């Protein structure tokens, strides 16, 4: 099974946002929504390894922990974007 083209495009857009998060006071809210959207997309595909999903979930929890800490939040978003990018490099 393959990931649909529309899902690849959306995941790529989200990955780019996470790799270069904007300087915004709404960063936490916007990024969490995008990460939740990514999770929903990834959940549609059973062939994605559990270890990848687990790593993604750990980073999602880190994002939640850094709601009030924009420096660490941005760092975690970049790590999440790199992980998401690794999905396509397999």
């Amino acid at each position: 099974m393959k990931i649909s083209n529309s899902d690849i495009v959306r995941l790529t857009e989200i990955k780019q946002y996470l790799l270069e998060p904007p300087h915004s006071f709404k960063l936490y809210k916007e990024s969490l929504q995008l990460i939740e959207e990514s999770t929903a997309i990834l959940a549609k595909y059973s062939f994605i390894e559990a270890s990848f999903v687990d790593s993604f979930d750990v980073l999602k929890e880190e994002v939640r922990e850094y709601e009030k800490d924009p420096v660490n939040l941005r760092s975690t978003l970049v790590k999440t974007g790199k992980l998401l990018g690794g999905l396509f490099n397999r």
Side-chain angles (χ1 to χ4, degrees), residues 50-64:
S51 61
F52 177 86
V53 175
D54 291 342
S55 297
F56 198 76
D57 288 340
V58 167
L59 288 171
K60 184 169 48 171
E61 289 306 314
E62 275 188 41
V63 167
R64 286 190 174 110

Side-chain angles (χ1 to χ4, degrees), residues 28-45:
Y28 172 76
K29 181 180 172 186
E30 293 171 354
S31 60
L32 192 59
Q33 289 173 347
L34 292 174
I35 291 171
E36 292 294 339
E37 183 180 351
S38 298
T39 302
I41 292 171
L42 295 173
K44 296 190 307 188
Y45 301 100

